[in-house]
Amino acid sequence: MQFLYHPDTVLTAADLETLAVSLLAWLPLPGVEGDTFDPEVIWRTVTRASVGQKSTKAVTDSSLKTYSDDYTLTQLHTIPATILEEIVNDLLAQQAAMILGRRGPRIICLDFVDNRYHGHPYKELAELCSTTPRDGTTKCHRYCAAFVLAHSKPLIVALTAVRGDESRADAAERVLGRVVALPFDIACILADRGFYLEAAIRRFQETAPTIVPVVRRGKRLAKALKTSISYWSEYTMYKGSERELRFPLAVCVSYQQGKRGKNGLLVRAYAACDQADRTPKQVEALYRKRSAIETSFRTFREARAKTTTRDPTVRLLFVLVGFLLRNLWLVVRWGVLAQPRRGGRELPTWFRFEVFREWIAHDLDEDLERRWEAPTNGVGIPDAYRLLDAG
């Protein structure tokens, strides 16, 4: 993946669209056998649909420089899901290497991303996962994602689609395998309560210090949480069985103090592996830092194209494109626009993700009075960060 390591003095909207389209050009698009077409036209259509939160039809109907919507989707339906996921994860790893480098261990957040789905499966029932009832459905396409908890660089570094007939622990295993291969160590894993599974916790323990919220179930756990003080303990899952798993239990007690109209004690517990140097309260404080990824989810959804297709691969494509573009924004913001200063680069607060999307969406609109350009930092991304380059 090529990038402006030493950018010119000005970054324009056209530069951003070129970067976005050239990034997507790495994705596999075999096309219908015998058809001759320009992949760049299709990736430009997908880019415009993503940053504008539109459907490909809305883009093709309003532009003369695209193929028809039916033709565009016909070509997108030929994308192989397995290869798509592999290539995108390679690109995510390159983006992480570009601005994270090898500097110190990183905290990794794991979570599931659910896109609710209405209608029948495309080919098989296992394409869909069950989720909590909302918006008139209990079905979704699910993805398992890994984020880096880093100030100014909260990148997504790995993602995989989750099938309805597989364990969530298996999905976590795939994602964690990709994270381990990145050019930095893992300081800690902060996982969503959806990973409170024996197989997942066991794998996390083998990899790095771990914090996972405990799901309240069973009399033994209820007894452990019947307390008015925070304390350390040990808990055993599947006690007495072949799957028995022991882990340190951090029980944290706090006062709700009228928050959300509630009062009284609030007791939470965490499977906290290799956290003995922290108090239960410190474990909870560290875990709460993962709330920052909620912003990541929100921004990713702002760059996801709309579609009514039932094809899970095309829907996966639009999710992956959303994350790739969100990462690209972070790379450009830090690597091209952030000004060097003592103690770290100063981020351009005006260059929000909304602005990034707006520039790409309007880069060729000559009727706009605003000049779509900005001075760069003249430094770019240090050579030491160029750890991966598929270009």
Side-chain angles (χ1 to χ4, degrees):
M1 182 175 63
Q2 297 177 341
F3 193 72
L4 302 174
Y5 293 107
H6 299 289
D8 295 330
T9 57
V10 172
L11 176 73
T12 67
D15 291 335
L16 284 186
E17 189 192 40
T18 298
L19 285 172
V21 175
S22 62
L23 177 62
L24 301 192
W26 287 97
L27 305 183
L29 186 60
V32 176
E33 186 176 357
D35 272 8
T36 302
F37 64 95
D38 185 354
E40 182 176 330
V41 174
I42 291 182
W43 292 129
R44 195 173 297 275
T45 300
V46 172
T47 300
R48 296 283 180 85
S50 297
V51 298
Q53 294 180 287
K54 302 177 180 178
S55 64
T56 54
K57 187 177 190 309
V59 174
T60 57
D61 286 351
S62 60
S63 175
L64 297 177
K65 299 179 181 179
T66 63
Y67 298 119
S68 69
D69 179 55
D70 287 343
Y71 187 84
T72 299
L73 285 176
T74 297
Q75 304 306 330
L76 292 179
H77 283 311
T78 66
I79 295 176
T82 303
I83 298 177
L84 171 66
E85 194 172 295
E86 290 177 358
I87 291 178
V88 168
N89 277 284
D90 286 343
L91 293 174
L92 294 174
Q94 291 176 47
Q95 289 176 325
M98 289 175 73
I99 64 174
L100 291 176
R102 300 181 184 272
R103 296 186 178 181
R106 303 286 182 175
I107 296 177
I108 299 296
C109 301
L110 295 183
D111 210 340
F112 289 108
V113 182
D114 287 356
N115 283 337
R116 296 182 179 275
Y117 180 83
H118 298 78
H120 300 290
Y122 184 59
K123 290 182 178 179
E124 54 180 334
L125 185 60
E127 298 165 359
L128 303 176
C129 295
S130 297
T131 186
T132 54
R134 199 176 73 188
D135 300 332
T137 182
T138 60
K139 300 297 182 182
C140 69
H141 287 103
R142 178 169 293 156
Y143 313 97
C144 181
F147 292 81
V148 168
L149 191 63
H151 176 64
S152 77
K153 307 171 187 178
L155 298 166
I156 177 175
V157 293
L159 186 141
T160 188
V162 183
R163 287 177 56 87
D165 59 355
E166 72 170 328
S167 166
R168 287 174 293 176
D170 291 340
E173 175 74 25
R174 290 199 301 275
V175 168
L176 198 58
R178 287 164 177 152
V179 173
V180 169
L182 293 171
F184 51 75
D185 295 329
I186 302 176
C188 186
I189 298 173
L190 307 181
D192 177 74
R193 67 178 61 252
F195 295 96
Y196 183 64
L197 306 163
E198 171 264 331
I201 295 176
R202 196 182 297 278
R203 179 66 173 92
F204 296 160
Q205 283 181 319
E206 297 170 353
T207 305
T210 302
I211 304 176
V212 184
V214 168
V215 178
R216 297 184 178 222
R217 57 182 175 225
K219 294 181 179 180
R220 286 190 299 112
L221 187 57
K223 182 179 180 180
L225 299 184
K226 193 175 182 179
T227 180
S228 59
I229 59 173
S230 301
Y231 70 96
W232 277 105
S233 182
E234 184 180 72
Y235 187 73
T236 305
M237 294 180 71
Y238 302 108
K239 188 174 183 178
S241 71
E242 294 182 355
R243 298 172 60 187
E244 180 175 295
L245 173 67
R246 296 176 180 269
F247 57 79
L249 184 71
V251 180
C252 306
V253 179
S254 58
Y255 292 93
Q256 301 189 71
Q257 298 178 329
K259 295 179 180 178
R260 299 181 181 178
K262 297 181 179 180
N263 292 283
L265 294 179
L266 180 62
V267 183
R268 297 188 181 94
Y270 302 87
C273 308
D274 294 327
Q275 302 289 330
D277 57 334
R278 293 186 170 93
T279 66
K281 285 285 190 179
Q282 290 173 332
V283 168
E284 184 171 61
L286 175 58
Y287 184 78
R288 285 183 175 179
K289 290 184 178 181
R290 73 181 296 279
S291 62
I293 68 174
E294 296 303 323
T295 301
S296 302
F297 286 157
R298 187 179 69 250
T299 52
F300 132 71
R301 295 183 190 282
E302 292 173 1
R304 188 183 65 189
K306 296 180 179 179
T307 183
T308 57
T309 182
R310 293 187 295 152
D311 187 346
T313 301
V314 176
R315 299 176 75 94
L316 170 64
L317 168 69
F318 290 157
V319 168
L320 295 175
V321 168
F323 279 122
L324 285 172
L325 292 178
R326 179 193 166 277
N327 273 16
L328 179 61
W329 163 61
L330 294 173
V331 171
V332 170
R333 187 180 65 164
W334 184 87
V336 178
L337 298 177
Q339 298 297 319
R341 65 173 181 179
R342 180 176 297 180
R345 299 190 181 191
E346 182 178 8
L347 297 175
T349 56
W350 62 269
F351 192 65
R352 304 179 304 279
F353 190 52
E354 176 187 0
V355 174
F356 171 85
R357 295 188 296 108
E358 192 175 37
W359 277 31
I360 294 177
H362 297 291
D363 72 309
L364 298 179
D365 192 340
E366 298 178 355
D367 296 330
L368 292 174
E369 296 181 0
R370 178 177 175 182
R371 295 187 64 189
W372 300 84
E373 63 182 34
T376 64
N377 56 27
V379 178
I381 297 174
D383 291 345
Y385 282 68
R386 287 187 281 171
L387 304 177
L388 295 170
D389 190 352

